[in-house]
């Protein structure tokens, strides 16, 4: 391999790189390495005992299960919303397009109390649901609702550009050759949007795993039943159990890193096969 | 199935899904805030703790956002104008706060500066309080909001390339001249959007801030934390929603500005 040496034409590399590196090191690298370092003060068996305690495991199951289900629902409806926004003209389309980003812009605590107000037994949706004998707020269903809300924009926003890029002529050609609509969907559209769909799904999933603000209000925070992992960390902190909080945080952090790696490789895959 | 059926079903489902999950909660905030009448709504803001929460939120965002703007511009310049080893690592590090749970983000600062650590105890003996005080709130806010400006700028500056800047160099312009006269006018809309997003998140951050705050009324309660305190108190649920209308309006303004900027960029291209 030949080593290339570029002469830098533009000024400012030293200044901007130095500033960026210092900022990132102080703000991200140092604190995160301290977090990992802190867990090493626990022995391996202590660490395992903390992170596999029944209450903690129950919180993983709820967090992973609800996040996964929310991401699946968002993948299905996100596709429908993105498809409608890209392919169809209808009244309020611009408004609908803009409002999709609401969960990004809205503070999570505000989303949390708003969703609770809607889903509580005397709320607009909650009262309808309770007449069918379904409780939403303060149950696992409530956790799911909050996670659907905060994950909603991801699939729509990753799918939109891909759908805009699809050449309509290919579909028309397929149709003229006698393909059914189902065949067009499964053979042409789905393969070309699959990388973006997977990226959006994983982004929504990753966001949901760490979510706190929108869930605490609606979940009711019942141990073993509606307690998500981030909330468990807060509970441990409030009890001054720093070692426990750190250990569970490391598990949560590992889950986030794995998902981040998956997202990066999906985006790489998506770009390569464009 | 007639040809028009699929579009109608899709559009119906779009309205149904977004209406149920986005518009209904949004409407609920305002309905709850005004449930007991306009006067009660206005009175919610006369509480002295409400005022101190608003002031603290403005202060935190006022420190965090400018710092992150400077960082965002510097990092985006460094990443898009130069080739260097470890660039992808740097980009990954910049993305980290998006991936990390806000609770973990708050926790890392408690682990550094908390009273239970040697460093925290030393700071406290010198009368420097970081956790359960304003500096901790600012640090946590900076952490969770720093990717916003960079993330907006990188794709934009990558697309624009560096030919204009290189032309300016060949004509003898200095570094700052290039930035102020060539780069900044090109990126101003993206930068503005990044700043607005960063600000919305800084003012609305809840998880990370709640870990480091200690929820001291009148001292370390930002607006979102104040909302939680009042909401959990049940005595004046409507005033929690009244404060929430402030942040919800900020979110709506953010969305409007975003749409305007997107529209502007689209129409300038043509």
């Amino acid at each position: 391999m030949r080593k290339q040496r570029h002469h830098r034409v533009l000024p400012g590399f030293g200044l901007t790189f130095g500033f960026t590196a210092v900022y990132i090191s102080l703000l991200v690298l140092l604190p995160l390495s301290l977090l990992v370092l802190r867990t090493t003060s626990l022995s391996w068996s202590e660490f395992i005992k903390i992170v596999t305690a029944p209450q903690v495991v129950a919180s993983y199951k709820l967090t992973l299960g609800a996040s996964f289900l929310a991401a699946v629902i968002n993948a299905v409806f996100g596709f429908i919303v993105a498809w409608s926004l890209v392919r169809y003209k209808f009244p309020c389309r611009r408004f609908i397009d803009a409002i999709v980003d609401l969960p990004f812009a809205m503070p999570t605590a505000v989303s949390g109390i708003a969703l609770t107000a809607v889903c509580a037994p005397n709320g607009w949706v909650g009262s309808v649901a309770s007449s069918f004998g379904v409780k939403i707020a303060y149950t696992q269903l409530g956790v799911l609702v909050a996670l659907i809300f905060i994950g909603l924009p991801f699939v729509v926003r990753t799918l939109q550009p891909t759908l805009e890029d699809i050449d309509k002529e290919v579909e028309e050609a397929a149709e003229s050759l006698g393909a059914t609509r189902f065949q067009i969907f499964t053979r042409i559209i789905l393969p070309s949007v699959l990388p973006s769909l997977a990226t959006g799904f994983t982004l929504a999933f990753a966001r949901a795993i760490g979510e706190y603000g929108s869930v605490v209000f609606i979940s009711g925070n019942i141990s073993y039943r509606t307690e998500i992992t981030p909330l468990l960390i807060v509970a441990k902190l409030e009890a001054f159990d720093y070692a426990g909080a750190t250990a569970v945080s490391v598990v949560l952090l590992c889950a986030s890193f794995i998902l981040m790696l998956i997202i990066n490789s999906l985006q790489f895959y998506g770009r390569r096969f464009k | 199935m007639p040809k028009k059926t699929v579009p109608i079903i899709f559009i119906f489902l779009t309205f149904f899904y977004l209406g149920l999950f986005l518009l209904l909660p949004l409407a609920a905030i305002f309905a709850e805030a005004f449930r007991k009448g306009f006067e009660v709504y206005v009175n919610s803001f006369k509480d002295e703790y409400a005022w101190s929460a608003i002031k603290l939120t403005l202060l935190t965002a006022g420190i965090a956002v400018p710092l992150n703007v400077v960082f965002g511009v510097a990092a985006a310049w460094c990443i898009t104008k130069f080739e260097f080893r470890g660039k992808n690592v740097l980009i990954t590090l910049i993305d980290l706060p998006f991936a990390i749970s806000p609770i973990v983000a708050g926790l890392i600062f408690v682990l550094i500066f908390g009273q239970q650590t040697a460093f925290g105890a030393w700071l406290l003996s010198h009368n420097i309080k970081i956790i359960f005080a304003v500096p901790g709130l600012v640090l946590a806010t900076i952490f969770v909001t720093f990717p916003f400006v960079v993330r907006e700028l990188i794709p934009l500056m990558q697309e624009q390339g560096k030919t204009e800047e290189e032309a300016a160099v060949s004509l003898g312009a200095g570094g700052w001249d290039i930035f102020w006269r060539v780069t900044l006018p090109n990126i101003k809309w993206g930068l503005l959007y990044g700043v607005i997003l960063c600000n919305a998140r800084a003012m609305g951050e809840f998880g990370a801030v709640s870990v480091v705050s200690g929820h001291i009324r009148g001292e370390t309660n930002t607006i979102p934390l104040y909302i939680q305190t009042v909401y959990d108190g049940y005595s004046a649920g409507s005033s929690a929603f009244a404060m929430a209308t402030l942040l919800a309006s900020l979110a709506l303004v953010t969305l409007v500005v975003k749409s305007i900027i997107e529209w502007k960029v689209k129409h300038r291209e043509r």
Side-chain angles (χ1 to χ4, degrees):
Chain A
M1 221 173 12
R2 196 161 56 97
K3 205 176 170 188
Q4 280 192 325
R5 277 207 145 255
H6 289 283
H7 176 66
R8 296 194 169 106
V9 181
L10 295 175
F13 178 74
L15 178 71
T16 56
F17 182 78
F19 183 65
T20 307
V22 170
Y23 204 83
I24 290 276
S25 306
L26 284 180
L27 208 57
V28 181
L29 281 182
L30 190 74
L32 277 182
S33 40
L34 268 170
L35 175 74
V36 178
L37 205 69
R38 189 53 67 90
T39 38
T40 54
S41 67
L42 289 168
S43 76
W44 181 247
S45 60
E46 280 174 320
F47 177 79
I48 292 296
K49 202 179 156 204
I50 293 172
V51 299
T52 57
Q55 191 184 354
V56 184
V57 172
S59 84
Y60 299 149
K61 279 185 188 158
L62 173 66
T63 307
L64 288 175
S67 301
F68 185 81
L69 204 56
V72 169
I73 293 170
N74 273 325
V76 174
F77 280 92
F79 179 84
I80 292 172
V81 172
W83 182 267
S84 305
L85 286 173
V86 171
R87 286 295 174 94
Y88 307 136
K89 290 219 168 350
F90 53 91
C92 308
R93 200 181 63 94
R94 293 273 304 268
F95 169 74
I96 291 284
D97 194 13
I99 204 84
V100 167
D101 279 333
L102 188 71
F104 283 160
M106 191 90 113
T108 51
V110 176
S111 314
I113 61 169
L115 289 169
T116 313
V118 172
C119 296
N122 58 352
W124 294 333
V125 174
S127 56
V128 178
S130 64
S131 68
F132 291 102
V134 180
K135 268 190 81 182
I136 304 175
Y138 321 121
T139 67
Q140 295 187 340
L141 198 57
V143 176
L144 181 67
V145 168
L147 296 181
I148 291 175
F149 174 86
I150 55 120
L152 198 151
F154 289 98
V155 176
V156 181
R157 289 300 181 230
T158 45
L159 273 182
Q160 261 177 324
T162 318
L163 286 176
E164 272 160 12
D165 280 349
I166 295 182
D167 207 344
K168 249 187 169 172
E169 283 171 14
V170 183
E171 287 163 53
E172 280 158 10
E175 206 180 346
S176 73
L177 293 170
T180 64
R181 253 186 284 180
F182 181 72
Q183 280 174 323
I184 293 176
F185 178 74
T186 52
R187 302 270 181 88
I188 297 174
I189 298 164
L190 209 55
S192 47
V193 301
L194 211 56
S196 326
L197 193 63
T199 308
F201 172 87
T202 322
L203 280 171
F205 185 59
R207 171 73 206 265
I209 280 184
E211 180 57 19
Y212 174 72
S214 56
V215 181
V216 275
F217 296 98
I218 201 169
S219 74
N221 309 328
I222 309 151
S223 298
Y224 293 94
R225 289 205 34 81
T226 65
E227 191 174 50
I228 52 166
T229 308
L231 189 84
L232 189 82
I233 297 172
V234 173
K236 281 185 184 293
L237 269 179
E238 279 170 357
F240 301 106
D241 176 11
Y242 292 102
T246 312
V248 180
S249 293
V250 169
V251 174
L252 195 61
L253 203 61
C254 288
S256 308
F257 281 154
I258 292 170
L259 285 168
M260 208 171 154
L261 277 177
I262 295 174
I263 293 164
N264 282 347
S265 31
L266 279 171
Q267 276 168 343
F268 178 73
Y269 178 87
R271 264 199 298 270
R272 251 184 76 187
F273 289 86
K274 219 169 192 176
Chain B
M1 208 159 46
K3 231 181 153 123
K4 279 274 176 229
T5 328
V6 176
I8 290 170
I9 295 173
F10 267 48
I11 292 167
F12 171 76
L13 283 175
T14 299
F15 273 93
F16 173 75
Y17 192 61
L18 298 184
L20 190 66
F21 277 99
L22 301 184
L23 296 182
L24 227 50
L26 185 64
I29 298 168
F30 290 90
E32 290 286 331
F34 289 103
R35 186 200 282 276
K36 290 172 189 156
F38 188 70
E39 217 164 302
V40 178
Y41 176 81
V42 174
N43 279 335
S44 315
F45 298 106
K46 288 184 179 157
D47 187 290
E48 64 168 307
Y49 292 130
W51 263 116
S52 65
I54 292 172
K55 274 188 262 179
L56 183 61
T57 299
L58 291 175
L59 174 73
T60 323
I63 300 171
V65 174
L67 278 174
N68 282 338
V69 170
V70 174
F71 164 76
V73 172
W77 179 277
C78 170
I79 285 168
T80 57
K81 303 293 180 201
F82 306 106
E83 293 304 321
F84 55 93
R85 249 186 232 179
K87 196 190 230 181
N88 285 329
V89 177
L90 191 64
I91 295 176
T92 310
L93 285 175
I94 288 173
D95 274 343
L96 266 185
F98 282 157
I100 292 177
S101 169
I103 294 305
V104 179
L107 177 74
I108 56 179
F109 292 107
V110 173
L111 289 182
I112 300 175
F113 299 111
Q115 284 170 41
Q116 79 287 356
T117 67
F119 184 53
W122 181 82
L123 284 175
L124 201 66
S125 69
H126 290 74
N127 258 330
I128 302 170
K129 264 195 98 176
I130 291 181
I131 299 305
F132 305 146
V134 178
L137 296 175
V138 174
L139 271 176
T141 308
I142 292 176
F143 182 90
V144 290
T145 58
F146 82 75
F148 285 92
V149 177
V150 206
R151 271 282 138 209
E152 279 308 310
L153 289 183
I154 290 177
L156 189 69
M157 286 168 75
Q158 233 149 25
E159 200 182 309
Q160 287 171 348
K162 46 192 178 186
T163 40
E164 287 185 36
E165 281 86 354
E166 280 165 358
V169 170
S170 72
L171 294 171
W176 292 108
D177 268 341
I178 297 175
F179 175 71
W180 289 109
R181 305 242 186 117
V182 180
T183 309
L184 195 61
N186 276 337
I187 62 168
K188 61 179 182 223
W189 293 115
L191 182 63
L192 181 66
Y193 181 50
V195 171
I196 286 164
L197 266 186
C198 181
N199 179 62
R201 184 69 198 270
M203 290 189 166
E205 176 53 29
F206 177 67
V209 167
S210 98
V211 173
V212 296
S213 137
H215 298 86
I216 309 162
R217 273 199 182 200
E219 275 183 48
T220 61
N221 257 2
T222 58
I223 300 178
L225 298 173
Y226 176 84
I227 290 173
Q228 188 195 22
T229 313
V230 175
Y231 185 85
D232 286 346
Y234 286 109
S235 55
S238 70
S239 63
F241 283 96
M243 286 293 266
T245 57
L246 286 186
L247 292 176
S249 309
L250 180 72
L252 289 176
V253 169
T254 307
L255 293 185
V256 170
V257 172
K258 184 195 178 212
S259 306
I260 292 173
I261 290 173
E262 273 178 354
W263 187 83
K264 261 197 137 70
V265 170
K266 216 175 177 178
H267 283 249
R268 206 183 40 183
E269 277 169 2
R270 276 172 194 167

